[in-house]
Amino acid sequence: PYEFSLAGEKVELTPASFHAEDVDTIVYLPRQKFIMAVDTITPGEAPFMNFGATSDVGAYMTFFETILKYEFDHILSGHVSALGTREDVIAARDYAQDVWQTAGAGMATFLDRFNATLAAFEYKNANLAYRTTIETVRRECANAVIDRWSDKLSVVDVWADSHCETVILYNIMH
C-alpha cells in the first residue's frame, strides 16, 4: 500500500482488483475507521446487475476477504449517498457466497441437463440446448436466492437472475 499524511491524518491507498479491468483502489483512513472501495456493495441492497457489472466475478468474490481485514466502521462504496457499515459488507459477502454456492450446485448437473435438453431437441440445435440449460439453472438459482434473501436485502428480486447468470458463465469459462 501507498501511505501518506493529509492534514496530519494517515491515508492508505491499496491497489486491488475487484471491479475494473485495470485496477481498483481501496482508500483507508485508519484513525477514522473509514474505508472507500467504489463499486463493491450497496448498503441494504443486493448488488447492481452482474455484481456491479464487475469485469471479473472471481476477483469480486475475493474482495470481501480483503476488505474485512481492515478495521472499519463505515464504508463508502460510491454511486449511492448512503454510508455502509461492516455489517453491510458481511451481508453482501454472505449474499454473494450464497449465489456462488447455489449456482455452483446447479452447475454440478449442467452437462447432464444439457445432454437431456439436446436429446429433447433431437440433436438439432446445440446452441439452443445450451442456452436453455443456462436459463434453467439460472432460474432455479435466482428463485432459491430470492426466497432466502428478499427479506434481508432489497432489490434481490430485480438482480438475482443476473447474479446467478454471471456466476454460471464464470463457471463455464473457468
Side-chain angles (χ1 to χ4, degrees):
Y2 175 72
E3 296 179 7
F4 63 94
S5 179
L6 181 65
E9 295 295 333
K10 180 180 176 181
V11 177
E12 296 177 15
L13 302 177
T14 304
S17 177
F18 50 78
H19 177 74
E21 288 182 22
D22 47 10
V23 73
D24 299 297
T25 302
I26 297 170
V27 180
Y28 179 55
L29 288 80
R31 190 177 74 74
Q32 290 82 0
K33 292 189 175 183
F34 177 84
I35 201 157
M36 184 171 130
V38 176
D39 293 324
T40 54
I41 70 156
T42 306
E45 294 184 356
F48 180 71
M49 177 176 44
N50 305 105
F51 288 107
T54 183
S55 63
D56 183 348
V57 71
Y60 177 81
M61 296 301 292
T62 65
F63 155 78
F64 299 103
E65 180 181 327
T66 300
I67 206 79
L68 288 168
K69 289 179 183 175
Y70 290 88
E71 289 189 38
F72 68 94
D73 294 328
H74 293 95
I75 181 171
L76 180 62
S77 58
H79 304 291
V80 295
S81 58
L83 282 177
T85 64
R86 184 174 203 83
E87 290 74 26
D88 289 315
V89 174
I90 291 168
R93 177 204 60 197
D94 293 350
Y95 171 82
Q97 288 176 345
D98 187 26
V99 171
W100 185 271
Q101 292 166 358
T102 303
M107 292 305 294
T109 59
F110 188 88
L111 188 57
D112 290 338
R113 292 173 184 226
F114 166 74
N115 287 330
T117 303
L118 186 59
F121 292 164
E122 298 177 354
Y123 302 96
K124 293 183 181 173
N125 195 334
N127 283 310
L128 180 58
Y130 201 65
R131 184 65 207 175
T132 300
T133 306
I134 289 171
E135 289 177 5
T136 300
V137 173
R138 181 197 69 211
R139 185 175 46 254
E140 291 171 359
C141 172
N143 288 340
V145 168
I146 289 167
D147 284 347
R148 288 191 293 268
W149 285 92
S150 61
D151 63 339
K152 297 174 186 141
L153 296 174
S154 67
V155 301
V156 171
D157 58 329
V158 176
W159 299 122
D161 64 331
S162 77
H163 301 147
C164 290
E165 184 158 331
T166 298
V167 173
I168 291 165
L169 295 176
Y170 182 84
N171 276 287
I172 289 170
M173 302 307 288
H174 295 89

